[in-house]
């Protein structure tokens, strides 16, 4: 009964380093989302996917790339990390998109120094 | 672009008092969802409202969707310490699958 699993849970990067955050869901959901959460700013949508092989930009896509090569996985990449990308990152998935609840992972806390 | 604002940003209440958070969208929403995030946790789905003027209840929680489908509210009657957390509304951008979250209301309940 894993649901949505995010790895890693914590990470510290230096400015300019790259990394990939992995999100995996075992609920056969079509839709997947990446959000970032910063104090006082709620959750902001970075990128999302409406199915395997598709991706689309959200509210704050700059500095991030994503891939959805397999239906169950949604990867978020930072090519050259910046301190402004220090945040908590949440992945979410849903079955039917707009008519279904979002199921969230436990989050990844990323610090860029 | 679409903006979803929530007020208040913070609310401290004594246990047993009522609490209300309001959600306002700059555009009409096809539906609205509410989530609760406990401190250190992830958002958890509470409810979805779809119809204009809809009211739904979950025990001590009452959710309303405005007639114009641009605003919503969550009311908690007789708060308990287990209600502590941040409450978010979320609505889809028209014509897309983007769920835009409100800024959230952080509730603290004093025993």
């Amino acid at each position: 009964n894993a649901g949505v699993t995010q790895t890693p849970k914590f990470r510290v990067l230096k400015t300019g380093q790259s990394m990939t955050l992995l999100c995996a869901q075992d609920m056969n959901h079509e839709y997947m989302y990446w959000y970032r959460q910063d104090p006082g700013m709620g959750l902001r949508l970075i990128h999302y996917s409406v199915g395997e092989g598709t991706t689309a930009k959200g509210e704050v896509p700059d500095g991030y790339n994503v891939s959805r090569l397999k239906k169950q996985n949604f990867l978020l990449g930072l090519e050259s990390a910046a301190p402004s990308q220090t945040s908590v990152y949440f992945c979410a998935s849903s079955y039917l998109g707009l008519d279904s609840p979002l199921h969230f992972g436990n989050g990844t806390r990323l610090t860029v120094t | 672009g679409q903006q979803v604002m929530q007020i208040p940003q913070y609310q401290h209440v004594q246990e047993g008092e009522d609490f209300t958070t309001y959600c306002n969208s700059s555009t009409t929403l096809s539906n609205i969802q509410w989530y609760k995030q406990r401190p250190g946790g992830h958002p958890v789905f509470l409810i979805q409202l779809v119809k204009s003027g809809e009211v739904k209840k979950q025990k001590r929680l009452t959710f309303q969707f405005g007639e114009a489908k641009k605003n919503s509210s969550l009311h908690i009657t007789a708060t308990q310490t287990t209600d502590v957390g941040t409450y978010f509304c979320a609505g889809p951008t028209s014509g897309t699958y983007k769920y835009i979250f409100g800024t959230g209301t952080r509730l603290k309940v004093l025993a």
Side-chain angles (χ1 to χ4, degrees):
Chain A
N1 224 16
V4 179
T5 303
Q6 290 183 235
T7 53
K9 289 185 171 60
F10 304 94
R11 185 72 186 266
V12 178
L13 288 179
K14 293 185 178 178
T15 298
Q17 288 184 321
S18 63
M19 79 163 294
T20 300
L21 282 67
L22 171 63
C23 177
Q25 52 94 5
D26 62 359
M27 298 174 283
N28 200 34
H29 285 175
E30 287 291 338
Y31 302 84
M32 297 188 75
Y33 305 81
W34 275 107
Y35 287 90
R36 61 176 288 173
Q37 184 171 33
D38 304 293
M41 302 193 71
L43 293 128
R44 291 183 292 169
L45 181 63
I46 305 171
H47 286 281
Y48 64 103
S49 168
V50 300
E52 181 179 314
T54 74
T55 62
K57 293 181 180 180
E59 302 171 272
V60 289
D62 294 343
Y64 304 95
N65 56 74
V66 288
S67 65
R68 184 101 181 265
L69 298 179
K70 293 183 178 181
K71 185 177 183 179
Q72 63 267 34
N73 295 336
F74 195 28
L75 277 63
L76 177 70
L78 287 74
E79 290 186 348
S80 179
S84 60
Q85 294 178 304
T86 293
S87 188
V88 179
Y89 292 85
F90 285 101
C91 174
S93 70
S94 71
Y95 181 58
L96 290 175
L98 297 183
D99 292 327
S100 299
L102 297 176
H103 297 259
F104 283 84
N106 288 332
T108 295
R109 184 174 294 275
L110 174 66
T111 302
V112 183
T113 62
Chain B
Q2 178 190 3
Q3 290 187 330
V4 181
M5 302 298 294
Q6 281 183 254
I7 55 171
Q9 189 174 4
Y10 301 98
Q11 183 86 57
H12 293 181
V13 298
Q14 287 291 135
E15 189 174 21
E17 291 182 339
D18 292 355
F19 159 76
T20 304
T21 173
Y22 299 91
C23 174
N24 296 290
S25 171
S26 58
T27 60
T28 301
L29 301 169
S30 56
N31 64 63
I32 195 158
Q33 295 181 349
W34 283 91
Y35 291 80
K36 176 184 178 181
Q37 184 178 24
R38 294 182 187 275
H42 59 274
V44 174
F45 174 78
L46 293 175
I47 206 160
Q48 176 171 290
L49 305 169
V50 178
K51 299 177 183 176
S52 170
E54 188 171 12
V55 178
K56 286 189 176 181
K57 292 189 176 183
Q58 285 181 349
K59 297 183 180 178
R60 294 178 295 104
L61 278 62
T62 301
F63 303 85
Q64 289 189 318
F65 201 8
E67 293 291 339
K69 301 183 77 174
K70 294 181 73 173
N71 56 73
S72 182
S73 66
L74 158 60
H75 179 81
I76 302 178
T77 303
T79 54
Q80 300 175 358
T81 55
T82 53
D83 295 325
V84 164
T86 302
Y87 293 85
F88 292 99
C89 61
T93 302
S94 177
T96 77
Y97 291 98
K98 294 190 228 185
Y99 254 104
I100 304 301
F101 276 72
T103 45
T105 295
R106 186 173 174 183
L107 173 65
K108 188 170 183 177
V109 180
L110 307 172

